Amino acid sequence: MKRYFAVFCLLALLLTGCSVQRLPEQAVDGAAWGGDWTTIGGVLGVEPLDNGLTLRDTNDAIAASGMYYALWAVGEPQGFTNADGEDADLYDAQLVVLVAEQKSPEDAETHAADWLGLAQESYRVASQSSQACNGAEYSILEYTCRSEGNPYARGASAFGVCGSTAVCIELSCLEGFAGNELEYLTAFLEHSHYAA
């Protein structure tokens, strides 16, 4: 009877999904994977930052759909109610990372291109460029925000692909934020690594 109970407990543990995420050993760019890095979706690792961007949230609850989310911010949260009556926290600047697993590298390219196209439609794009960081290529947009309902005035975004994973990194800034959005985004990219 004890043996059946032990097997039942083992199966229950496996079914609950309680497992320790195994960290990659090395990044694509050759760097050893740091134990103090924030790992998003087991694919993207972010070294600790020293420019005021602080990790505020990660959400693996959407992982069943192959999406992972993390939020870094500068400053303390300020309450905000949007046009739909929903409450949210605003920061002087916030950086949102979305990682989307796809079935193939081609699907990841399509997904990243869709994100890029949506951003081009949603913002007043001031400049578009390419940037390489730590073995990854990104399409970079700098822009101001079009919508009156958007409390953020300006921002910069990076769209990239690693294998069969699409990545969107978006930095949004309030009007009074004194930092340079492209410098903050570039610093984040320089601290980001993809699993080998």
Side-chain angles (χ1 to χ4, degrees):
M1 183 70 166
K2 287 182 182 178
R3 185 171 74 194
Y4 293 120
F5 181 73
V7 170
F8 174 77
C9 289
L10 179 61
L11 285 173
L13 181 64
L14 291 173
L15 290 174
T16 61
C18 296
S19 63
V20 176
Q21 184 181 16
R22 187 166 177 244
L23 295 177
E25 293 180 15
Q26 190 171 13
V28 168
D29 59 13
W33 202 269
D36 60 345
W37 294 4
T38 300
T39 302
I40 306 166
V43 174
L44 183 67
V46 183
E47 300 174 51
L49 297 151
D50 59 2
N51 62 356
L53 277 170
T54 303
L55 182 65
R56 295 288 183 163
D57 189 23
T58 59
N59 188 343
D60 287 342
I62 54 177
S65 67
M67 292 276 289
Y68 301 87
Y69 160 91
L71 170 73
W72 279 259
V74 175
E76 293 303 314
Q78 308 163 34
F80 173 75
T81 303
N82 68 18
D84 296 328
E86 299 167 338
D87 293 331
D89 286 333
L90 290 183
Y91 296 92
D92 294 339
Q94 72 173 23
L95 186 140
V96 174
V97 177
L98 292 174
V99 174
E101 296 174 340
Q102 302 297 304
K103 293 180 180 177
S104 69
E106 293 77 21
D107 288 346
E109 291 282 353
T110 299
H111 202 85
D114 289 346
W115 275 336
L116 177 61
L118 183 61
Q120 290 168 327
E121 292 173 11
S122 301
Y123 304 124
R124 291 185 186 101
V125 177
S127 71
Q128 183 169 346
S129 60
S130 297
Q131 185 172 344
C133 279
N134 298 326
E137 289 284 334
Y138 297 96
S139 293
I140 307 290
L141 294 183
E142 289 182 83
Y143 47 82
T144 56
C145 299
R146 286 185 189 179
S147 168
E148 290 181 14
N150 186 345
Y152 290 103
R154 66 188 197 280
S157 296
F159 306 91
V161 172
C162 180
S164 59
T165 302
V167 176
C168 171
I169 303 168
E170 182 169 281
L171 178 75
S172 303
C173 309
L174 292 176
E175 186 68 47
F177 180 61
N180 179 289
E181 56 271 23
L182 187 58
E183 289 177 8
Y184 271 80
L185 180 64
T186 298
F188 189 86
L189 296 178
E190 289 172 348
H191 285 76
S192 299
H193 305 267
Y194 291 94

